[in-house]
């Protein structure tokens, strides 16, 4: 039964009577109340696991339209439904253009209200199930890629193509993670590591000891991120230190390339 899953619903309205009625009708869910868009956004900042937002359209301060815009900008995966009166119907088209998922007539019939909420939550459940299935497939592929990178690093001296293979594997990880909700930091770190390797490939020189160390540290960090994501898909990481190491190595190699080109030009002038 839908109520057993206890999804969290955020109800937003400047009228306490409406909020009380909605909360009573949705007593089999976890409901949270806000009186305007500003209060709702403050709540969402600390509670990203909301399954559905039901908001009034006309409210003092931040109205439903402005709240919708900011909500979709910050939390695009949370379904957003608007309560609107007959006189507001002309605004519905504009609301859908801003990412609105659906609307409810106000005043509403109890059965219609409950049916709309349940349909919205069921759609969200199906989306989550599909995302989880895709995420599990991504985890298997990502862990396999990182394992191959480890192996390629250990065979750099024996395999002249290993460096290109590492670049390809990082590029694959960067691309696949960009399609997974919440994995943007994996994509970012993979991209930074790929950029460093790319310079060595273009230079045609093997990784030096510092670059190998930075790469392996990045791989370990990525593997740790995957482990954490299994427990908490919304977790965020501080990438500054590891990104700095990769970036400094990239700058160093780029400078070496520039110095080498300058030396060649000097030699050509002498000739």
């Amino acid at each position: 039964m839908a109520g057993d899953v206890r999804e969290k619903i955020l109800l937003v309205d400047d009228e306490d009577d409406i909020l009380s009625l909605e909360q009573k009708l949705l007593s089999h869910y976890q409901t949270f109340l806000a009186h305007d868009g500003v209060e709702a956004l403050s709540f969402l900042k600390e509670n990203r696991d909301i399954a559905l937002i039901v908001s009034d359209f006309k409210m003092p301060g931040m109205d439903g339209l402005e709240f919708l815009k900011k909500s979709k900008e910050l939390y695009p995966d949370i379904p957003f439904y608007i309560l609107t009166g007959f006189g507001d119907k002309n605004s519905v088209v504009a609301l859908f253009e801003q990412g609105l998922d659906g609307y409810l007539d106000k005043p509403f019939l109890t059965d219609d209200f409950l049916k709309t909420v349940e349909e919205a939550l069921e759609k969200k459940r199906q989306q989550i199930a599909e995302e989880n299935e895709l995420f599990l497939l991504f985890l298997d592929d990502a862990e396999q890629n990182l394992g191959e990178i480890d192996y390629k690093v250990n065979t750099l001296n024996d395999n002249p193509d290993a460096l290109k293979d590492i670049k390809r594997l990082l590029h694959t990880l960067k691309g696949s993670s960009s399609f997974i909700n919440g994995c943007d930091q994996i994509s970012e770190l993979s991209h930074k590591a790929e950029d460093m390797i790319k310079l060595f490939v273009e230079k045609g020189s093997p990784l030096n000891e510092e670059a190998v160390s930075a790469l392996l540290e990045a791989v370990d960090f990525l593997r740790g991120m995957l482990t954490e994501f299994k427990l908490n898909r919304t977790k965020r990481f501080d990438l500054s230190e590891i990104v700095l190491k990769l970036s400094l190595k990239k700058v160093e190699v780029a400078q070496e390339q520039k110095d080498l080109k300058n030396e060649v030009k000097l030699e050509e002038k002498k000739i």
Side-chain angles (χ1 to χ4, degrees):
M1 181 178 175
D4 294 336
V5 297
R6 298 286 290 173
E7 288 104 333
K8 297 180 179 180
I9 302 175
L10 176 60
L11 305 172
V12 188
D13 202 300
D14 60 310
E15 297 183 44
D16 287 329
D17 290 345
I18 297 295
L19 287 177
S20 296
L21 174 59
E22 292 174 354
Q23 189 171 41
K24 182 178 180 180
L25 292 174
L26 301 174
S27 60
H28 49 300
Y29 298 103
Q30 296 184 67
T31 53
F32 303 87
L33 311 180
H35 292 87
D36 56 41
V38 174
E39 185 181 346
L41 287 173
S42 178
F43 176 82
L44 288 169
K45 186 177 181 180
E46 303 298 328
N47 301 271
R48 298 191 176 190
D49 57 343
I50 292 296
L52 175 66
I53 297 171
V54 179
S55 174
D56 190 19
F57 178 52
K58 289 185 176 180
M59 297 181 290
M62 183 184 292
D63 64 11
L65 176 58
E66 187 62 23
F67 175 37
L68 170 64
K69 289 179 181 178
K70 292 187 177 296
S71 176
K72 285 300 181 180
E73 177 183 339
L74 297 170
Y75 317 104
D77 296 319
I78 301 180
F80 195 113
Y81 276 64
I82 282 280
L83 283 173
T84 177
F86 180 80
D88 302 323
K89 292 294 178 63
N90 291 333
S91 303
V92 170
V93 174
L95 291 170
F96 276 108
E97 290 176 350
Q98 296 298 329
L100 184 70
D101 295 281
Y103 70 94
L104 294 154
D105 288 318
K106 185 181 181 182
F108 52 77
L109 297 175
T110 297
D111 288 345
D112 291 341
F113 179 78
L114 292 174
K115 179 181 178 182
T116 300
V117 168
E118 175 55 29
E119 288 177 348
L121 290 173
E122 180 58 31
K123 185 176 180 179
K124 180 65 175 178
R125 292 178 203 127
Q126 292 177 0
Q127 177 187 340
I128 291 174
E130 292 172 0
E131 287 180 353
N132 286 340
E133 183 177 355
L134 186 62
F135 179 66
L136 291 175
L137 293 173
F138 163 73
L139 281 179
D140 287 341
D141 289 342
E143 289 172 347
Q144 183 176 342
N145 274 5
L146 293 177
E148 288 187 44
I149 291 173
D150 277 333
Y151 173 77
K152 295 293 182 180
V153 171
N154 291 325
T155 60
L156 280 171
N157 294 331
D158 303 320
N159 181 4
D161 293 324
L163 201 56
K164 293 181 180 179
D165 291 337
I166 292 172
K167 178 180 175 297
R168 173 182 55 78
L169 290 165
L170 287 168
H171 184 78
T172 299
L173 181 58
K174 176 188 70 175
S176 60
S177 57
S178 67
F179 290 101
I180 304 298
N181 185 30
C183 290
D184 54 296
Q185 287 190 303
I186 290 181
S187 184
E188 178 186 352
L189 184 51
S190 301
H191 179 58
K192 296 295 183 182
E194 181 193 2
D195 275 354
M196 185 193 74
I197 298 299
K198 181 180 178 181
L199 285 175
F200 280 94
V201 171
E202 292 176 347
K203 185 181 177 183
S205 64
L207 292 184
N208 55 37
E209 185 177 341
E210 293 82 3
V212 170
S213 176
L215 175 61
L216 290 177
E217 187 173 343
V219 169
D220 285 341
F221 199 100
L222 285 165
R223 189 173 282 114
M225 291 172 75
L226 292 175
T227 300
E228 290 289 341
F229 276 139
K230 292 178 183 179
L231 303 175
N232 182 6
R233 292 272 296 278
T234 63
K235 184 174 178 62
R236 306 301 291 174
F237 300 86
D238 182 3
L239 304 181
S240 57
E241 185 176 344
I242 184 64
V243 166
L244 179 61
K245 289 182 179 180
L246 293 169
S247 298
L248 287 176
K249 196 65 220 173
K250 177 183 173 183
V251 170
E252 178 185 325
V253 176
Q255 185 61 47
E256 289 176 359
Q257 289 179 311
K258 183 177 180 180
D259 293 341
L260 181 60
K261 289 179 180 178
N262 288 336
E263 289 178 9
V264 171
K265 288 180 180 179
L266 287 174
E267 289 298 325
E268 290 175 347
K269 288 182 179 180
K270 290 179 181 179
I271 297 174

